[in-house]
Amino acid sequence: MVGLTHLALRKIIREFGGCALLSMEMCSAKALPYENRATSPYFKFFEEEKYQLICQIIGNNPKKMADAAKRIEQEGLFGIDLNFGCSVSHIYKQQAGAYLLENVSLASQIIEAVKKAVSIPVSIKFRLPTQCTEKKLILLAKMFEQSGADFLIFHPRIYPDRRNRPPRWEYISVVKQSVSIPVLGNGNVFSIEDVKKMFQQTGCDGVALGRIAAARPFIFAQITQGFQPTIQTYYYIARKMCLYLFEFYEPTRALRLFKKWLPYFGSNFDFGLELISILSKAKDKNEILSKLNKIHNLKILNRPNLILIGQ
Ligand SMILES: Cc1cc2nc3c(=O)[nH]c(=O)nc-3n(C[C@H](O)[C@H](O)[C@H](O)COP(=O)(O)O)c2cc1C
């Protein structure tokens, strides 16, 4: 997730534990072969997370996507995810992301080229195509499988649906039933109960968590290991997020990333907007930490208020 699944968030998630696979921030396929890990703001990872790390690439040129995939394999990461789901308008206009759902032949060429170039797992992250019918969705999922995808991550929203419309989980079942490769469902899963519901209602093989992972990085440990957070857990996360961001990134970027993360963190609390407003006025690491020290009496919501947050 752009601006969210950076080194700092991933490190906090890994420290709590319980997560199977993690995704980096999306990388441009065109740029990726030339990225320098020491200076790139996106193509950054720790040695110890490589075994569970997926790098998502975006682009529409089969050769460039294959070259990017080779670099990811050479770096020793777990897998490659092809972004066929991004609906942000400048990406769509460049005929990449969700646009590829409307050009099935090019999408298929990309998957085939990437699969031919590497032997690590290749997944497809996609959403509902426009003017979606069940038939169109089934054909699409089958095409992904036939072209060589190892698993699918499906977010059942149509381009350009906004986030206030709920994802249509019933379409996850349609995808699941049309292929024999694993299907991970995604969309508005914000609690253990939601995870259970998604498995039960859709028959999916796994669940991909987005915004809740930023709001509650312990969610994986909570689901798979019974971790019980306390109010102190939340203060700890905010402090760690600040310290890690300023350790891993230069100060301007670190401050920007901290502020980008704040609405997700704030969504956990009653009067979260007030918390966001206080912390977003901070101008550097010390100010964030000192403001955090002065925040007391946070009231945790059972369910974070994430529905309207996001791009
Ligand atoms: C800030 C932000 C950045 C995102 N960036 C990406 C991205 O780079 N690639 C991607 O496949 N999805 C991206 N997404 C979409 C999420 O992966 C996910 O599909 C969506 O948020 C729905 O899942 P959720 O309800 O669990 O958050 C992004 C979402 C947000 C809010």
Side-chain angles (χ1 to χ4, degrees):
M1 295 167 80
V2 174
L4 284 179
T5 54
H6 39 62
L7 285 175
L9 179 68
R10 299 199 312 265
K11 189 162 165 63
I12 295 171
I13 290 173
R14 285 188 295 111
E15 285 168 357
F16 282 107
C19 178
L21 297 174
L22 280 165
S23 183
M24 290 165 67
E25 288 181 81
M26 175 178 89
C27 290
S28 145
K30 207 160 109 189
L32 202 144
Y34 313 102
E35 290 286 3
N36 177 344
R37 269 180 67 189
T39 54
S40 169
Y42 313 105
F43 197 58
K44 266 185 173 331
F45 42 87
F46 295 110
E47 289 302 304
E48 59 269 25
E49 64 178 337
K50 283 182 359 184
Y51 77 98
Q52 65 179 153
L53 197 57
I54 290 180
C55 180
Q56 185 185 67
I57 52 176
I58 189 144
N60 65 3
N61 178 310
K63 165 134 190 0
K64 291 199 167 111
M65 295 288 266
D67 289 345
K70 278 188 204 156
R71 170 79 193 275
I72 296 164
E73 182 172 61
Q74 279 159 14
E75 293 284 355
L77 302 196
F78 171 86
I80 296 149
D81 183 59
L82 307 181
N83 184 323
F84 290 178
C86 183
S87 60
V88 173
S89 67
H90 75 271
I91 299 275
Y92 200 89
K93 278 187 202 137
Q94 287 167 25
Q95 307 191 343
Y99 172 87
L100 291 165
L101 303 177
E102 310 305 323
N103 188 339
V104 179
S105 143
L106 180 56
S108 167
Q109 285 172 46
I110 290 172
I111 302 168
E112 284 173 9
V114 169
K115 279 298 291 180
K116 219 167 134 194
V118 297
S119 53
I120 57 175
V122 176
S123 55
I124 313 290
K125 167 82 189 300
F126 69 114
R127 60 167 58 224
L128 281 171
T130 49
Q131 279 130 39
C132 182
T133 58
E134 258 191 52
K135 195 173 157 204
K136 190 170 173 185
L137 185 62
I138 291 168
L139 285 174
L140 198 60
K142 283 188 186 300
M143 178 282 281
F144 291 151
E145 181 174 37
Q146 277 154 17
S147 305
D150 293 293
F151 64 99
L152 305 177
I153 308 171
F154 180 48
H155 177 210
R157 269 209 187 89
I158 295 180
Y159 167 81
D161 249 14
R162 299 320 310 172
R163 277 183 208 285
N164 52 3
R165 289 244 207 111
R168 302 164 203 200
W169 285 10
E170 63 277 16
Y171 283 113
I172 298 176
S173 321
V174 173
V175 170
K176 168 64 193 160
Q177 281 159 27
S178 53
V179 293
S180 54
I181 52 176
V183 174
L184 276 56
N186 167 246
N188 282 21
V189 173
F190 300 144
S191 66
I192 301 183
E193 292 67 40
D194 291 348
V195 172
K196 285 184 191 152
K197 260 190 234 158
M198 184 176 269
F199 275 120
Q200 277 159 8
Q201 287 180 15
T202 70
C204 64
D205 302 285
V207 177
L209 302 181
R211 291 165 291 172
I212 187 68
R216 298 187 173 181
F218 52 78
I219 184 82
F220 304 96
Q222 201 177 20
I223 294 166
T224 63
Q225 298 169 355
F227 176 78
Q228 300 277 359
T230 65
I231 187 67
Q232 293 313 325
T233 313
Y234 290 87
Y235 286 109
Y236 170 86
I237 289 167
R239 236 185 113 72
K240 278 282 171 188
M241 182 61 78
C242 170
L243 293 172
Y244 284 158
L245 283 172
F246 281 87
E247 183 183 341
F248 305 144
Y249 299 95
E250 48 86 19
T252 314
R253 180 175 289 274
L255 189 63
R256 187 152 51 80
L257 291 175
F258 187 82
K259 289 183 182 177
K260 170 135 189 166
W261 172 74
L262 271 179
Y264 299 89
F265 183 63
S267 73
N268 287 305
F269 311 105
D270 223 0
F271 300 109
L273 283 178
E274 206 179 310
L275 171 84
I276 297 167
S277 150
I278 294 170
L279 289 173
S280 61
K281 292 195 183 87
K283 293 189 194 65
D284 56 32
K285 178 171 90 174
N286 290 338
E287 233 185 291
I288 295 174
L289 294 175
S290 98
K291 282 181 190 295
L292 267 174
N293 279 338
K294 288 183 199 130
I295 292 169
H296 302 288
N297 304 326
L298 283 177
K299 189 160 174 286
I300 305 164
L301 297 172
N302 275 344
R303 193 178 168 75
N305 197 0
L306 281 165
I307 296 288
L308 293 176
I309 303 179
Q311 316 168 305

